[in-house]
Amino acid sequence: MKFSMNQSADGPETLNIQKAPHLLYAGQISNNPHWKFSSHKHDNLSEIVYICDGKGTFIIDGVTYEASKGDILVYNKDVLHEEWSNPDHPLKTYFCGITNLSIEGLKDLHVIPSGINPVIRRNKYSSKIETYLSEIFDEAALQAEGDEMICQHLLTSLITVIHRIIHLHHQDTSTEKNDSLSHRIKEYIDKHYTRSLSLEDLAEAFFISPYYLSHVFKEEKNLSPIHYLITRRMGEAKRLLVSTNLKIREVAQLVGYDNPNYFTMLFKKFTGQSPKRFKQKHMEKLFYHK
């Protein structure tokens, strides 16, 4: 499938979608001023988010962004991200999960090139993006005959317009990767969060004292390494709770806890809800495509 894009000063471009996108889910966030989704990533899909109203903070691949009405966020496959709403200006968003996508020149399940800024600021196409995502959400909720084909066409249009925006506005590349000690500690935790990790284990991995490791990490990240480890686990637990039918004890084991009761206690402490209640609440405005 080839789609010609508008010609710019740099000449024409062609978007070659080799495998048409498939909608995995569509959802909406609204009426939740304290909404937060801790660090997590998707290994089998990409996600597109449109902010209809409000403001939020987003940490994407280690870079912090503030986003508001009209902004578009794109999470490619395997990109670590964290999101939370501004309580004074609660987020209202549409979002969708995409699988089966292959675009010529990009890695499979990547909506945009890796070096492109994942936050696309409000522009003349924002209302069009909102229309596509709201229609995708409505079709996913309705699940009537022909919805799969309609969603596929809407997703194709959505991705095509995103590439048009990138081409016309020459989106800046992302901030250069940080190679500080605290960043390397964070990457180590991100890679090994399912293991049993103590402060001493982390210090041994970096050949430094536990005190120095904790001090360096907290100085830059504003939380302790162990607090970040728990937050990271809670983020993946949230993802598993809303995207699978795994039992709570199975989710607990997958994110590094052998004791499901201890996991439930921590989850409630960090999110304010039990795992069961979180799943029920989140699924109210999340529709998986059959």
Side-chain angles (χ1 to χ4, degrees):
M1 301 171 65
K2 290 190 177 183
F3 300 89
S4 295
M5 298 176 65
N6 289 356
Q7 184 169 334
S8 71
D10 297 323
E13 279 201 1
T14 300
L15 177 65
N16 185 0
I17 299 180
Q18 298 174 319
K19 289 173 63 179
H22 176 77
L23 179 68
L24 186 59
Y25 59 77
Q28 185 183 54
I29 299 296
S30 62
N31 302 319
N32 190 351
H34 300 290
W35 178 84
K36 180 177 181 179
F37 213 117
S38 307
S39 294
H40 64 289
K41 62 181 179 179
H42 307 288
D43 57 9
N44 63 342
L45 61 96
S46 289
E47 194 171 67
I48 298 173
V49 180
Y50 177 80
I51 301 180
C52 308
D53 205 358
K55 298 179 181 179
T57 302
F58 302 82
I59 302 177
I60 307 171
D61 207 15
V63 181
T64 301
Y65 302 89
E66 301 295 329
S68 57
K69 183 177 179 178
D71 291 343
I72 307 151
L73 299 99
V74 181
Y75 307 135
N76 282 336
K77 171 183 178 287
D78 288 330
V79 170
L80 190 64
H81 55 282
E82 182 173 354
E83 313 146 291
W84 64 91
S85 181
N86 181 325
D88 297 323
H89 305 278
L91 282 172
K92 179 181 178 182
T93 72
Y94 285 115
F95 61 91
C96 67
I98 304 167
T99 187
N100 194 60
L101 177 66
S102 179
I103 300 174
E104 184 177 16
L106 303 185
K107 295 179 181 178
D108 283 351
L109 293 180
H110 276 220
V111 174
I112 59 175
S114 298
I116 294 294
N117 192 325
V119 180
I120 302 171
R121 296 303 179 182
R122 184 174 182 175
N123 59 80
K124 66 180 183 180
Y125 292 107
S126 291
S127 60
K128 187 183 288 288
I129 296 293
E130 181 174 7
T131 297
Y132 288 147
L133 275 167
S134 65
E135 290 184 5
I136 288 169
F137 176 80
D138 290 343
E139 284 294 328
L142 187 61
Q143 297 197 355
E145 184 178 354
D147 63 325
E148 184 175 350
M149 182 175 293
I150 291 172
C151 286
Q152 189 173 87
H153 284 294
L154 288 168
L155 283 174
T156 300
S157 298
L158 175 65
I159 293 167
T160 302
V161 172
I162 286 173
H163 277 258
R164 178 186 292 174
I165 297 167
I166 290 170
H167 180 63
L168 292 179
H169 292 265
H170 302 284
Q171 290 287 313
D172 296 330
T173 55
S174 300
T175 304
E176 290 185 10
K177 291 289 185 181
N178 188 345
D179 195 38
S180 66
L181 176 58
S182 61
H183 185 74
R184 285 186 280 123
I185 294 168
K186 175 183 173 297
E187 287 191 325
Y188 185 89
I189 295 172
D190 289 335
K191 185 177 180 180
H192 302 290
Y193 71 91
T194 60
R195 298 181 183 178
S196 176
L197 284 178
S198 65
L199 188 59
E200 289 71 23
D201 294 328
L202 292 171
E204 185 176 339
F206 287 90
F207 305 101
I208 56 178
S209 74
Y211 172 80
Y212 182 66
L213 182 140
S214 183
H215 173 76
V216 167
F217 193 90
K218 194 168 184 177
E219 183 78 14
E220 185 171 319
K221 305 298 183 184
N222 295 317
L223 74 170
S224 71
I226 298 304
H227 190 105
Y228 177 72
L229 170 64
I230 297 172
T231 301
R232 181 75 176 87
R233 287 172 169 174
M234 294 302 108
E236 291 297 335
K238 288 180 177 181
R239 179 184 65 82
L240 290 168
L241 286 168
V242 301
S243 64
T244 71
N245 290 319
L246 294 172
K247 296 178 180 178
I248 291 173
R249 61 176 174 79
E250 294 173 320
V251 171
Q253 289 176 340
L254 285 173
V255 299
Y257 296 105
D258 291 329
N259 186 331
N261 293 327
Y262 180 65
F263 163 74
T264 297
M265 182 272 292
L266 273 181
F267 190 94
K268 190 169 184 179
K269 180 180 178 180
F270 271 74
T271 68
Q273 298 175 320
S274 68
K276 182 178 180 180
R277 178 59 182 152
F278 173 81
K279 184 180 181 74
Q280 291 171 340
K281 186 72 175 174
H282 195 81
M283 294 297 287
E284 288 176 1
K285 293 186 178 180
L286 178 65
F287 300 96
Y288 274 81
H289 204 270
K290 302 299 183 183

